[in-house]
Amino acid sequence: MTEQNTWNVGKYLLYRLEQLGLKDIFGVPGDFNLVFLDQIIESNIKLISTCNELNAGYAADGYARINNIGALAVTYAVGGLSAANALAGAFAEDVPVVMISGSPAVRHHERSSMLHHTLGDYNIVRDMFEKITISSILIKDSAEATKQIDKALLSCYMYKKPVYIEIPVDMFTQECDAPGEFEIPQPYCDEPEKLNELVEKTVKWLTNCQNPAILLGSEVNKYCLHDRALELIEKSGYPFATMVLDKSVSSEEHPQFIGYYEGAFSLDYVKERIENSCSVLCLGTLMTDANLGWNTAKLSKEQLIIASRGKVSFGGKIYTQISLKSFIEKLFERLPEGSLKKYDVKPAIKSYYSCRIEPFEIQKDKKLSIKRFFERMTCFIQKNDIVIADVGTALFGISQMLMPEGVIFIDQSYYCSIGYSVGATLGAAKAAPNRRTIAFIGDGAFQMTAQEVSTMIKEGLNPIIFLVNNDGYTIERYIHDGPYNDIQPWKYHKLPEIFGNSYNIEVKTELELEKALKEARNYNGLAFIELHFDKWDSTEALKSMLEMYK
């Protein structure tokens, strides 16, 4: 943004977002945000117009998971509430998304004018967003605007939670103070005595255990602690695993990585190493039902040290005001090197990488199956790809796949909003245009948010989208089948052709898949592959999980 002597509220907000690393903002025009959209166009931030507000929210979420902050601009109520589900998902999964909503002029707020898009009470919308954001603000005074904006943005960035910023249409151009310093403080203030007590207790407990293990979670990446956590893992010599929310948080080719822990759905070796360990150090993990193998995990509180979100749970005691960063660093300082070496009989570490690299031989005339398809994908994903999976067959198929070095994996396995991945693919591909984004989406999920494929084509992005067509809602069929699980069969591979230039094809056999994979990799644009599977075809992990519902 160019230097200027006069600042206004809209320009100030955009400047702060730019300082936090934002390069693109997603949105839909409406009469209460048009002034702000003009300001975006005049700034260094690019406006990406989406087909609807929900997809703008999903795109901002996917963008933030790559870029550490994402944003969307909407109009009041009808726009903001359309995106509320996306913001709720960002709140549940700790994703820093900024929603900026234009609203009626200040005078209408003061008079409670009965305008279009309003609900009579002008506080309702903001009150609703207070429940799914870390900060929900209304800016009505330009003299206070800069403080309000700074506080909201810093909360979003530090705590990795979404914020809602509502600005009346006449406030965007109101003059305000010039930006001052913008220092980002630590989100948690450590208490040194408490931290030392905890680390001393942890080191003693770990070093007295013959078979310790580590569960590495997504928060180490959210708070930029991956390298330090990996140093701790290598110094300790302990085996480590990840759970479904944490897939690809670290290199899956690392010799100490043993695989994915998903409770009863884990591979036998991983299940044994984690569940039979007398001490499991959880760094940045969240104990959701999905992470715990849909509550089939056999882990006791006595086994676990859980460090996340500014607190550490250990031995029946919760230590608050302890940052994950300080805990990892202090533990690294005090944990003896190669702790496992002190025992004469050290449990060998069977790395996941050494067990999972197997050649794939196509069976030319064989009809596609879910199992064979995801086995093939293990050899298709390349280093530094971004992989996105929607909830359902796609997520369960990918959960046990080995990801090459540098892959970023994105899913929404905690909040589980189907259709999320279409918008997230747009956001991730926009955030990292020099990497290939590869998305796996079920047919039911795709029908909810399909139109955003047109925005990907408009923006010249080059994701590869695999559409898993198994004629409807597979998970629901297994839980309780009925006609409501059937959906209108689309000619999915034809849609990108309608939206614009793309590579699109439908695939029914393994030979057809091979041809499509080669052409999709070489295509410089959006590639869309529709895959046909039998209605009841699914992964063994998904079938096992769904048996619990019967």
Short mmCIF file of all heavy atoms in Angstrom, two decimals, residues 26 58-67 386-388 408 410 421-438 461:
data_model
loop_
_atom_site.label_atom_id
_atom_site.label_comp_id
_atom_site.label_asym_id
_atom_site.label_seq_id
_atom_site.Cartn_x
_atom_site.Cartn_y
_atom_site.Cartn_z
N PHE A 26 -11.44 -12.95 0.00
CA PHE A 26 -12.57 -13.53 -0.73
C PHE A 26 -13.84 -12.79 -0.35
O PHE A 26 -13.98 -12.32 0.78
CB PHE A 26 -12.68 -15.02 -0.40
CG PHE A 26 -11.41 -15.78 -0.69
CD1 PHE A 26 -10.43 -15.92 0.28
CD2 PHE A 26 -11.19 -16.31 -1.95
CE1 PHE A 26 -9.25 -16.60 0.01
CE2 PHE A 26 -10.01 -17.00 -2.23
CZ PHE A 26 -9.04 -17.13 -1.25
N TYR A 58 -15.26 -20.78 3.40
CA TYR A 58 -14.45 -21.98 3.26
C TYR A 58 -13.11 -21.66 2.59
O TYR A 58 -12.07 -22.22 2.95
CB TYR A 58 -15.19 -23.03 2.43
CG TYR A 58 -16.35 -23.70 3.12
CD1 TYR A 58 -17.42 -24.21 2.38
CD2 TYR A 58 -16.38 -23.88 4.51
CE1 TYR A 58 -18.48 -24.86 2.99
CE2 TYR A 58 -17.44 -24.51 5.12
CZ TYR A 58 -18.50 -25.00 4.35
OH TYR A 58 -19.55 -25.64 4.96
N ALA A 59 -13.15 -20.78 1.59
CA ALA A 59 -11.91 -20.40 0.90
C ALA A 59 -10.97 -19.67 1.84
O ALA A 59 -9.76 -19.91 1.84
CB ALA A 59 -12.24 -19.53 -0.31
N ALA A 60 -11.51 -18.76 2.65
CA ALA A 60 -10.68 -18.03 3.62
C ALA A 60 -10.06 -19.00 4.63
O ALA A 60 -8.92 -18.83 5.06
CB ALA A 60 -11.51 -16.97 4.33
N ASP A 61 -10.82 -20.03 5.00
CA ASP A 61 -10.32 -21.05 5.92
C ASP A 61 -9.16 -21.82 5.29
O ASP A 61 -8.08 -21.97 5.88
CB ASP A 61 -11.47 -21.99 6.28
CG ASP A 61 -11.09 -23.10 7.25
OD1 ASP A 61 -10.17 -23.89 6.92
OD2 ASP A 61 -11.72 -23.23 8.31
N GLY A 62 -9.35 -22.33 4.06
CA GLY A 62 -8.28 -23.06 3.38
C GLY A 62 -7.06 -22.20 3.17
O GLY A 62 -5.92 -22.66 3.32
N TYR A 63 -7.27 -20.93 2.83
CA TYR A 63 -6.19 -19.97 2.62
C TYR A 63 -5.41 -19.77 3.92
O TYR A 63 -4.17 -19.76 3.94
CB TYR A 63 -6.80 -18.65 2.15
CG TYR A 63 -5.84 -17.57 1.73
CD1 TYR A 63 -5.54 -17.38 0.37
CD2 TYR A 63 -5.28 -16.69 2.65
CE1 TYR A 63 -4.69 -16.36 -0.03
CE2 TYR A 63 -4.43 -15.68 2.26
CZ TYR A 63 -4.13 -15.52 0.91
OH TYR A 63 -3.29 -14.50 0.51
N ALA A 64 -6.14 -19.63 5.03
CA ALA A 64 -5.49 -19.37 6.33
C ALA A 64 -4.65 -20.55 6.79
O ALA A 64 -3.64 -20.37 7.48
CB ALA A 64 -6.54 -19.03 7.38
N ARG A 65 -5.04 -21.76 6.43
CA ARG A 65 -4.27 -22.94 6.86
C ARG A 65 -2.91 -23.01 6.16
O ARG A 65 -2.01 -23.68 6.63
CB ARG A 65 -5.08 -24.21 6.61
CG ARG A 65 -6.33 -24.29 7.48
CD ARG A 65 -7.08 -25.59 7.27
NE ARG A 65 -8.41 -25.54 7.88
CZ ARG A 65 -8.89 -26.46 8.70
NH1 ARG A 65 -8.15 -27.50 9.05
NH2 ARG A 65 -10.12 -26.35 9.18
N ILE A 66 -2.79 -22.30 5.05
CA ILE A 66 -1.52 -22.21 4.34
C ILE A 66 -0.78 -20.93 4.71
O ILE A 66 0.42 -20.91 4.94
CB ILE A 66 -1.73 -22.24 2.81
CG1 ILE A 66 -2.48 -23.50 2.38
CG2 ILE A 66 -0.40 -22.11 2.08
CD1 ILE A 66 -1.74 -24.79 2.60
N ASN A 67 -1.52 -19.83 4.84
CA ASN A 67 -0.96 -18.49 4.93
C ASN A 67 -0.95 -17.91 6.34
O ASN A 67 -0.45 -16.80 6.54
CB ASN A 67 -1.75 -17.55 4.00
CG ASN A 67 -1.12 -16.21 3.82
OD1 ASN A 67 -0.02 -16.09 3.30
ND2 ASN A 67 -1.81 -15.16 4.26
N ILE A 386 -0.27 -30.01 -1.98
CA ILE A 386 -1.26 -29.74 -0.94
C ILE A 386 -2.42 -30.70 -1.19
O ILE A 386 -2.98 -30.73 -2.28
CB ILE A 386 -1.75 -28.28 -0.99
CG1 ILE A 386 -0.59 -27.32 -0.73
CG2 ILE A 386 -2.88 -28.05 0.01
CD1 ILE A 386 -0.93 -25.86 -0.98
N VAL A 387 -2.76 -31.49 -0.19
CA VAL A 387 -3.81 -32.50 -0.34
C VAL A 387 -4.99 -32.12 0.55
O VAL A 387 -4.82 -31.84 1.74
CB VAL A 387 -3.29 -33.90 0.03
CG1 VAL A 387 -4.40 -34.94 -0.09
CG2 VAL A 387 -2.11 -34.27 -0.88
N ILE A 388 -6.18 -32.13 -0.03
CA ILE A 388 -7.40 -31.76 0.69
C ILE A 388 -8.42 -32.89 0.56
O ILE A 388 -8.63 -33.41 -0.53
CB ILE A 388 -8.00 -30.44 0.14
CG1 ILE A 388 -6.98 -29.30 0.29
CG2 ILE A 388 -9.31 -30.10 0.82
CD1 ILE A 388 -7.44 -27.98 -0.28
N ILE A 408 1.34 -30.80 2.52
CA ILE A 408 0.43 -30.21 3.51
C ILE A 408 -0.93 -30.87 3.31
O ILE A 408 -1.46 -30.90 2.20
CB ILE A 408 0.31 -28.69 3.33
CG1 ILE A 408 1.65 -28.00 3.62
CG2 ILE A 408 -0.78 -28.12 4.24
CD1 ILE A 408 1.64 -26.51 3.35
N ILE A 410 -4.96 -30.98 4.37
CA ILE A 410 -6.03 -30.16 4.94
C ILE A 410 -7.32 -30.97 4.95
O ILE A 410 -7.72 -31.54 3.94
CB ILE A 410 -6.25 -28.87 4.10
CG1 ILE A 410 -5.01 -27.96 4.18
CG2 ILE A 410 -7.49 -28.12 4.57
CD1 ILE A 410 -5.09 -26.74 3.28
N SER A 421 -14.49 -28.78 1.32
CA SER A 421 -13.25 -28.91 0.56
C SER A 421 -13.25 -28.14 -0.75
O SER A 421 -12.19 -27.79 -1.26
CB SER A 421 -12.96 -30.39 0.27
OG SER A 421 -13.99 -30.95 -0.51
N VAL A 422 -14.42 -27.85 -1.33
CA VAL A 422 -14.43 -27.13 -2.61
C VAL A 422 -13.91 -25.71 -2.40
O VAL A 422 -13.00 -25.24 -3.09
CB VAL A 422 -15.84 -27.11 -3.24
CG1 VAL A 422 -15.81 -26.39 -4.59
CG2 VAL A 422 -16.37 -28.53 -3.42
N GLY A 423 -14.49 -25.00 -1.44
CA GLY A 423 -13.99 -23.66 -1.13
C GLY A 423 -12.57 -23.69 -0.61
O GLY A 423 -11.76 -22.83 -0.96
N ALA A 424 -12.25 -24.67 0.23
CA ALA A 424 -10.90 -24.77 0.78
C ALA A 424 -9.87 -25.00 -0.32
O ALA A 424 -8.74 -24.51 -0.23
CB ALA A 424 -10.83 -25.90 1.81
N THR A 425 -10.26 -25.73 -1.35
CA THR A 425 -9.35 -25.94 -2.49
C THR A 425 -9.05 -24.62 -3.19
O THR A 425 -7.90 -24.33 -3.55
CB THR A 425 -9.96 -26.94 -3.49
OG1 THR A 425 -10.13 -28.20 -2.82
CG2 THR A 425 -9.08 -27.13 -4.70
N LEU A 426 -10.08 -23.80 -3.38
CA LEU A 426 -9.87 -22.46 -3.95
C LEU A 426 -8.91 -21.66 -3.08
O LEU A 426 -7.94 -21.07 -3.58
CB LEU A 426 -11.21 -21.74 -4.06
CG LEU A 426 -11.16 -20.22 -4.31
CD1 LEU A 426 -10.50 -19.91 -5.65
CD2 LEU A 426 -12.56 -19.62 -4.24
N GLY A 427 -9.14 -21.65 -1.78
CA GLY A 427 -8.30 -20.86 -0.89
C GLY A 427 -6.87 -21.34 -0.84
O GLY A 427 -5.93 -20.54 -0.91
N ALA A 428 -6.69 -22.65 -0.71
CA ALA A 428 -5.33 -23.20 -0.63
C ALA A 428 -4.57 -22.99 -1.92
O ALA A 428 -3.38 -22.64 -1.91
CB ALA A 428 -5.39 -24.69 -0.29
N ALA A 429 -5.23 -23.21 -3.05
CA ALA A 429 -4.56 -23.03 -4.35
C ALA A 429 -4.19 -21.57 -4.57
O ALA A 429 -3.15 -21.27 -5.17
CB ALA A 429 -5.47 -23.53 -5.48
N LYS A 430 -5.00 -20.66 -4.07
CA LYS A 430 -4.69 -19.24 -4.21
C LYS A 430 -3.55 -18.84 -3.27
O LYS A 430 -2.71 -18.01 -3.63
CB LYS A 430 -5.93 -18.40 -3.90
CG LYS A 430 -5.80 -16.94 -4.27
CD LYS A 430 -5.63 -16.76 -5.77
CE LYS A 430 -5.29 -15.33 -6.13
NZ LYS A 430 -5.02 -15.17 -7.57
N ALA A 431 -3.52 -19.43 -2.09
CA ALA A 431 -2.47 -19.10 -1.12
C ALA A 431 -1.11 -19.62 -1.56
O ALA A 431 -0.07 -19.03 -1.22
CB ALA A 431 -2.82 -19.68 0.25
N ALA A 432 -1.09 -20.73 -2.30
CA ALA A 432 0.19 -21.34 -2.72
C ALA A 432 0.12 -21.70 -4.20
O ALA A 432 0.06 -22.88 -4.57
CB ALA A 432 0.49 -22.56 -1.87
N PRO A 433 0.13 -20.71 -5.08
CA PRO A 433 -0.03 -20.98 -6.52
C PRO A 433 1.11 -21.77 -7.14
O PRO A 433 0.94 -22.34 -8.22
CB PRO A 433 -0.14 -19.58 -7.13
CG PRO A 433 0.54 -18.67 -6.15
CD PRO A 433 0.27 -19.27 -4.81
N ASN A 434 2.25 -21.83 -6.48
CA ASN A 434 3.39 -22.57 -7.03
C ASN A 434 3.42 -24.03 -6.60
O ASN A 434 4.35 -24.76 -6.97
CB ASN A 434 4.70 -21.88 -6.62
CG ASN A 434 4.82 -20.49 -7.21
OD1 ASN A 434 4.39 -20.25 -8.35
ND2 ASN A 434 5.38 -19.56 -6.45
N ARG A 435 2.43 -24.44 -5.83
CA ARG A 435 2.31 -25.84 -5.42
C ARG A 435 1.05 -26.41 -6.06
O ARG A 435 0.15 -25.67 -6.43
CB ARG A 435 2.23 -25.97 -3.90
CG ARG A 435 3.41 -25.32 -3.19
CD ARG A 435 3.26 -25.32 -1.69
NE ARG A 435 3.45 -26.64 -1.11
CZ ARG A 435 3.80 -26.84 0.16
NH1 ARG A 435 4.00 -25.82 0.96
NH2 ARG A 435 3.96 -28.05 0.63
N ARG A 436 0.99 -27.73 -6.21
CA ARG A 436 -0.19 -28.36 -6.79
C ARG A 436 -1.14 -28.77 -5.67
O ARG A 436 -0.76 -29.48 -4.75
CB ARG A 436 0.20 -29.59 -7.64
CG ARG A 436 -0.86 -29.96 -8.70
CD ARG A 436 -0.83 -28.98 -9.83
NE ARG A 436 -1.93 -29.13 -10.76
CZ ARG A 436 -1.86 -29.76 -11.94
NH1 ARG A 436 -0.73 -30.35 -12.31
NH2 ARG A 436 -2.90 -29.79 -12.75
N THR A 437 -2.36 -28.28 -5.76
CA THR A 437 -3.39 -28.64 -4.80
C THR A 437 -4.21 -29.79 -5.37
O THR A 437 -4.69 -29.72 -6.50
CB THR A 437 -4.30 -27.45 -4.48
OG1 THR A 437 -3.51 -26.39 -3.91
CG2 THR A 437 -5.39 -27.83 -3.50
N ILE A 438 -4.37 -30.85 -4.58
CA ILE A 438 -5.09 -32.04 -5.03
C ILE A 438 -6.21 -32.31 -4.04
O ILE A 438 -5.97 -32.50 -2.85
CB ILE A 438 -4.14 -33.25 -5.12
CG1 ILE A 438 -3.00 -32.92 -6.10
CG2 ILE A 438 -4.88 -34.50 -5.56
CD1 ILE A 438 -1.93 -33.97 -6.17
N LEU A 461 -6.21 -21.02 -11.62
CA LEU A 461 -5.59 -21.95 -10.69
C LEU A 461 -5.54 -23.36 -11.29
O LEU A 461 -6.27 -23.67 -12.22
CB LEU A 461 -6.35 -21.96 -9.36
CG LEU A 461 -6.45 -20.59 -8.68
CD1 LEU A 461 -7.33 -20.65 -7.45
CD2 LEU A 461 -5.07 -20.04 -8.33
#
